Amino acid sequence: MKIIDSHTGGEPTRTIVSGLETPRGAVATRDFLEKEADWIRTTLINEPRGFDAVVGACLCEPEDSTCVTGVVFFNNLSCLHSCLHGTIGIVETLAHLGRIEPGEHRIETPVGVVTALLAEDHSITVKNIPSYRFAEQVEVTLPDGQIITGDISWGGNWFFLISNQGPEIKAENIAALTEFTRTVRDSLHARNITGEDSGEIDHIECFAPPQPGIEADSQNFVLCPGSAYDRSPCGTGTSAKLACLAASGELAEGDNWRQASIIGSVFEGSFESIPDSDKVIPIVTGRAFITGETTVVIHPDDPFKHGIPTP
Ligand code: PYC
C-alpha cells in the first residue's frame, strides 16, 4: 500500500494512493471500511505509524461518473462523514501525482458531492454540500453547574458552536480547551442533545476574536471526534460557522470570512444562498503541502502491525 502525506493549515491528511481494493462508491467504501476492514484505519492512524491528529483518506471509484474520485475520511476513532481540510489535501495529492490538472473537480463523499477548484497557484477552493444551522442558542449544563450556550450546525459534520465562553482561545490553552470541549461534548451526549435525525454532535468548536497578530475575523478551537484538536480552522467547522453567520444575517452572500485556527492558520470562507431554502453552500479556500510519500510495510511478526489498539 502506498500513501502520500500532506498537511492543510497544519492538519495532516494521509491518502492511500495505491495497493488497496475498495468497492465502487463512497457509501459502499465507508461501509466496507467500517464493517470489514477497520484494520486499514488503525494501521494508518494509530501509533506507531500515525498519531491522533492524522486524518486518513481512502480514495475509491465514484458511483457518480462525473466525479474524479470518491473518498472516505477516517480518524483515530472512526470514519468521518466528511472533511474539508482532507479534501484540500487529496486534491493537492492528486495534482502531485499528475492525476488532475488545475480546474474544477467533483469529489464524491458519503454525504454528498463537493466541488474543488484547483488554481494555478495551488490554492484550493471547495464548494461544500448544503449546510445549515439546526438549532440556535442551545443551553447545556456542565457537571460543575456552568451553563454553556451554543448553536448546533451541520457543515458536513455535526458541530456545537460556542462563542466567547470557556478558556481563552490561544495556543497556550490547548490542554484546557481540549478538556473544556470534551466536557461539553460529554454533557451534550449525556443530555441526548443531537443534530437533526439524532445526528451525533461529535465536533465542538469554540470561537473568539483572533489573538494579536493573527489577521482574521475569528479564531477557533475545534475538538474532533476522539480527543485530537484540529490544527487547521476545520473546513466543515468553518462551513458550520458560515451557515450560522448566514442564518443570523451577520454575513452577506459573497462576503469574505477569514477563519483562523488555534495555531493561526487561516481558511477564507464565503457562502452562496440556495433559492427557497434555509441552507447555504459554504465555500472554503486553503492550501495543502505534500510532506511525504511512503510504502507501508506490514510485517506478519509485528505485534503492532495494525497499530497500537486504542484503550
Ligand atoms: O477540515 O473538515 C475538516 C475536518 C474535520 C475533521 C478534521 N478536519
Side-chain angles (χ1 to χ4, degrees):
M1 193 192 310
K2 287 204 187 300
I3 54 175
I4 294 194
D5 284 325
S6 61
H7 80 85
T8 309
E11 179 75 352
T13 306
R14 174 161 285 180
T15 307
I16 305 168
V17 293
S18 65
L20 182 71
E21 277 195 32
T22 52
R24 179 155 169 260
V27 170
T29 297
R30 181 203 53 205
D31 292 348
F32 163 72
L33 289 173
E34 283 183 346
K35 294 181 188 137
E36 293 170 48
D38 194 47
W39 65 268
I40 294 166
R41 187 183 64 75
T42 58
T43 300
L44 297 185
I45 306 299
N46 288 9
E47 294 181 23
R49 288 188 189 81
F51 64 103
D52 276 10
V54 178
V55 170
C58 182
L59 303 179
C60 62
E61 186 192 340
E63 190 75 52
D64 177 341
S65 59
T66 65
C67 292
V68 67
T69 187
V71 66
V72 178
F73 295 104
F74 48 86
N75 77 350
N76 61 335
L77 194 73
S78 60
C79 289
L80 300 168
H81 294 299
S82 174
C83 178
L84 290 201
H85 95 265
T87 303
I88 293 170
I90 67 162
V91 169
E92 183 60 30
T93 298
L94 293 173
H96 174 76
L97 291 170
R99 294 189 194 169
I100 59 169
E101 295 290 324
E104 210 167 75
H105 304 283
R106 284 163 58 81
I107 296 168
E108 182 180 290
T109 79
V111 289
V113 172
V114 300
T115 305
L117 177 67
L118 169 65
E120 293 287 347
D121 69 359
H122 281 240
S123 67
I124 294 163
T125 298
V126 184
K127 268 194 188 186
N128 201 358
I129 56 172
S131 300
Y132 62 106
R133 179 166 69 184
F134 171 63
E136 193 183 351
Q137 295 296 285
V138 175
E139 286 189 351
V140 60
T141 308
L142 306 190
D144 66 1
Q146 225 189 130
I147 296 174
I148 300 297
T149 310
D151 289 353
I152 300 173
S153 181
W154 170 257
N157 290 301
W158 282 110
F159 288 83
F160 191 71
L161 297 101
I162 303 166
S163 286
N164 301 310
Q165 297 157 86
E168 189 183 350
I169 298 189
K170 55 179 184 179
E172 296 86 328
N173 281 349
I174 283 173
L177 284 159
T178 301
E179 197 186 324
F180 171 71
T181 48
R182 285 189 70 171
T183 306
V184 171
R185 186 169 59 196
D186 290 347
S187 302
L188 290 168
H189 291 175
R191 284 155 186 76
N192 210 17
I193 299 172
T194 68
E196 197 170 8
D197 295 329
S198 307
E200 182 187 338
I201 301 170
D202 52 6
H203 291 71
I204 310 293
E205 185 165 7
C206 296
F207 295 89
Q211 289 292 318
I214 296 180
E215 280 184 33
D217 295 296
S218 158
Q219 188 168 10
N220 70 14
F221 173 89
V222 181
L223 179 74
C224 299
S227 8
Y229 68 92
D230 200 330
R231 278 69 170 159
S232 85
C234 191
T236 51
T238 299
S239 299
K241 176 70 175 177
L242 288 164
C244 291
L245 291 168
S248 59
E250 286 172 77
L251 189 74
E253 182 174 12
D255 281 359
N256 208 28
W257 179 263
R258 283 174 61 82
Q259 183 61 60
S261 73
I262 189 66
I263 65 162
S265 52
V266 175
F267 284 162
E268 303 273 344
S270 62
F271 70 87
E272 279 175 6
S273 301
I274 303 174
D276 304 321
S277 168
D278 290 342
K279 300 183 179 174
V280 297
I281 301 288
I283 301 171
V284 176
T285 301
R287 252 203 98 166
F289 296 89
I290 304 297
T291 55
E293 303 191 40
T294 307
T295 301
V296 177
V297 175
I298 301 177
H299 194 290
D301 296 342
D302 179 356
F304 299 119
K305 59 180 178 286
H306 292 153
I308 300 172
T310 312

